[in-house]
Amino acid sequence: MDVASTSGGGSSLPSVGTDGTKRRVCYFYHPTMGNFYYGNGHPMKPHRVRMTHALLEKYGLLRHMRVLRPIPAHERDFCRFHADDYIEFLRTADPSAENDPATLRRFNIDDVECPIFQGLYKFCQLYAGASISAARQVNLDHYDIVINWSGGLHHAKKSMASGFCYVNDVVLAILSLLETRDRVLYVDIDIHHGDGVEEAFYTTDRVMSVSFHKFGGYFPGTGHIDDIGCDRGKYYAVNVPLDDGIDDESYLYVFKPVVAKAMEVFRPNAVVLQCGADSLSGDRLGCFNLSVRGHGECVKYMRSFNVPLMLLGGGGYTLHNVARCWCYETGVALGIEVANKIPDHQYSEYFGPLFRIHLPTTNMANKNSRKSLDDTIAKVLANLSKLQAAPSVQFKEQSSPMDLDEIDEDEEDSNESDE
């Protein structure tokens, strides 16, 4: 085990508030996730999840948490949010078949952004099934933190694919959490606006969405600071628009007061944190300048509130940086600081020439002035201050639970978790 430690299994991270305690952590992983392939030249590569898992295994982190293999999601699970005809289309989609152009346009399927690829429906079943399974473990109060790095595909809409996302596992997980939780806070640190999740809960006061994202001439084009929700959901959609080149100091300067206020006024019973790694410096599609440590500080801060926490993946298109980030943040969840030197393993060549978790950021200009950040913070906090107390619960949506238990990797495949 290559974990930096002082005594025992690893050194505790510096605590924030009452965060000096260990957490019961459950991690979901399916060994076939890395096999799926969007196509030649496509920036989304599920192989990054396999690379992350290999690092977790080599660092010895798997032995510090429960490792579960998720049960694939069923059609009825998808249809809690998605339209029946859209799910039927995904179920029968065949990359070798001739598809009706009008149907493809209707569901936003093309060869560039959201292609039909071999095993598409199975891919959706696995990543969504892992998020639903994670929510289920929270509902049972079995774990304090649950992790699914294959999830966080936050752009998918009710009846269409979007932004490399086909089914919205985040929405499905939150719907599951609402079976036992009055209020769920969703926080999104992907560089892209969490539009699919915000849209799904735009009119309810039981879910608050808080998205920190690049805004202005950037996909998906939504997430203006004045988009605040409507009807019962007014002020429960929180958008924090940011500009190119934001660094750790500036990002955390905004992130911490906004999240602290959201926690204060909303008082969630569970938090879902989408940890899209395309906000890291040097991302293939991104334009932010966060370090792995700065990105991980957001996870550490959310952990400090001692509220049940779900960590999901999301964007991230420079594979080695994605694996670095999610490995480090798994350590944060566990309270273990992983060693900076990456141990030799089957994907070592991806991490050269430095072979380190923490890399220097670039010298790109930070276009976020302190005044612009202060103005954004002031406006967001003013809106949140209009919520004087946690909302009353008008309903509890019930659904049929998944009928199979998750497979315990400790029992079914000891090589996955005991290496």
Side-chain angles (χ1 to χ4, degrees):
M1 179 173 65
D2 188 8
V3 178
S5 61
T6 54
S7 63
S11 59
S12 294
L13 295 167
S15 61
V16 177
T18 57
D19 192 40
T21 59
K22 282 192 170 184
R23 298 294 194 277
R24 300 170 299 166
V25 180
C26 181
Y27 162 73
F28 287 86
Y29 176 72
H30 198 285
T32 66
M33 178 52 63
N35 295 342
F36 297 100
Y37 185 59
Y38 275 61
N40 187 37
H42 199 288
M44 175 61 99
K45 300 186 185 301
H47 179 60
R48 65 201 180 136
V49 179
R50 177 183 285 154
M51 289 174 59
T52 301
H53 184 79
L55 279 182
L56 300 181
E57 184 176 36
K58 195 63 181 179
Y59 271 108
L61 294 179
L62 297 180
R63 70 189 64 183
H64 292 274
M65 56 190 175
R66 187 79 172 275
V67 181
L68 294 180
R69 184 181 300 186
I71 294 297
H74 298 294
E75 184 175 348
R76 65 176 178 273
D77 300 310
F78 292 141
C79 292
R80 293 195 66 191
F81 172 61
H82 292 287
D84 295 2
D85 58 348
Y86 174 56
I87 295 303
E88 177 62 17
F89 168 80
L90 292 179
R91 190 183 67 79
T92 58
D94 182 350
S96 63
E98 188 74 26
N99 293 285
D100 175 49
T103 301
L104 296 179
R105 286 193 299 271
R106 176 184 171 197
F107 296 133
N108 196 35
I109 300 295
D110 58 29
D111 293 331
V112 179
E113 180 183 330
C114 298
I116 299 173
F117 57 84
Q118 193 65 43
L120 170 59
Y121 190 67
K122 185 67 173 180
F123 173 67
C124 295
Q125 287 184 296
L126 291 181
Y127 80 74
S131 293
I132 295 168
S133 297
R136 190 179 183 202
Q137 293 297 324
V138 172
N139 287 345
L140 294 170
D141 292 316
H142 286 175
Y143 298 96
D144 306 304
I145 301 176
V146 292
I147 302 172
N148 171 28
W149 294 129
S150 69
L153 276 65
H154 57 171
H155 294 306
K157 306 298 177 62
K158 180 182 179 70
S159 300
M160 61 180 281
S162 178
F164 316 155
C165 308
Y166 297 89
V167 298
N168 200 314
D169 66 288
V170 187
V171 172
L172 297 174
I174 291 173
L175 289 174
S176 294
L177 290 171
L178 290 174
E179 295 173 12
T180 64
R181 311 282 155 164
D182 295 337
R183 297 174 300 280
V184 176
L185 175 65
Y186 172 67
V187 180
D188 192 315
I189 60 173
D190 194 291
I191 195 172
H192 301 96
H193 177 233
D195 58 334
V197 183
E198 178 186 275
E199 181 180 302
F201 299 109
Y202 206 63
T203 61
T204 181
D205 59 1
R206 293 189 63 198
V207 178
M208 176 179 284
S209 63
V210 183
S211 180
F212 300 83
H213 52 269
K214 158 72 176 172
F215 182 77
Y218 202 71
F219 181 87
T222 51
H224 192 282
I225 195 170
D226 291 330
D227 295 337
I228 57 174
C230 65
D231 300 332
R232 293 189 65 86
K234 189 175 182 180
Y235 302 122
Y236 291 93
V238 179
N239 284 297
V240 184
L242 302 167
D243 209 342
D244 293 7
I246 193 164
D247 57 20
D248 293 352
E249 181 183 2
S250 296
Y251 197 92
L252 295 169
Y253 181 77
V254 177
F255 181 85
K256 290 187 175 182
V258 169
V259 166
K261 188 65 174 180
M263 294 294 292
E264 174 194 336
V265 300
F266 188 56
R267 292 185 292 160
N269 311 113
V271 174
V272 176
L273 178 61
Q274 197 267 22
C275 303
D278 48 6
S279 47
L280 291 175
S281 178
D283 186 78
R284 177 178 172 184
L285 299 185
C287 56
F288 283 179
N289 202 23
L290 299 184
S291 70
V292 165
R293 198 176 297 279
H295 196 275
E297 181 65 23
C298 297
V299 177
K300 179 180 166 188
Y301 190 66
M302 296 309 310
R303 182 186 190 270
S304 74
F305 289 97
N306 297 304
V307 173
L309 176 63
M310 179 184 298
L311 301 180
L312 300 175
Y317 308 102
T318 301
L319 269 63
H320 53 85
N321 286 344
V322 176
R324 284 182 169 97
C325 182
W326 292 345
C327 173
Y328 176 76
E329 289 173 350
T330 303
V332 170
L334 291 165
I336 294 172
E337 179 82 32
V338 298
N340 191 26
K341 187 179 188 310
I342 293 175
D344 187 50
H345 66 297
Q346 67 264 45
Y347 300 120
S348 289
E349 69 274 11
Y350 283 86
F351 300 96
L354 296 179
F355 303 100
R356 298 286 187 266
I357 290 289
H358 301 290
L359 301 179
T361 56
T362 73
N363 62 353
M364 71 184 300
N366 182 356
K367 295 184 178 179
N368 301 268
S369 69
R370 183 55 60 95
K371 182 182 186 305
S372 70
L373 296 177
D374 284 336
D375 289 346
T376 296
I377 293 169
K379 188 162 191 176
V380 169
L381 295 187
N383 284 338
L384 286 170
S385 293
K386 294 172 183 175
L387 303 175
Q388 296 300 322
S392 60
V393 177
Q394 299 297 316
F395 67 96
K396 277 188 178 292
E397 182 176 352
Q398 299 294 330
S399 70
S400 57
M402 298 173 73
D403 58 357
L404 293 173
D405 290 333
E406 291 76 30
I407 301 170
D408 189 340
E409 291 288 285
D410 294 332
E411 298 171 3
E412 294 295 319
D413 191 353
S414 60
N415 290 331
E416 290 289 329
S417 57
D418 294 333
E419 183 67 12

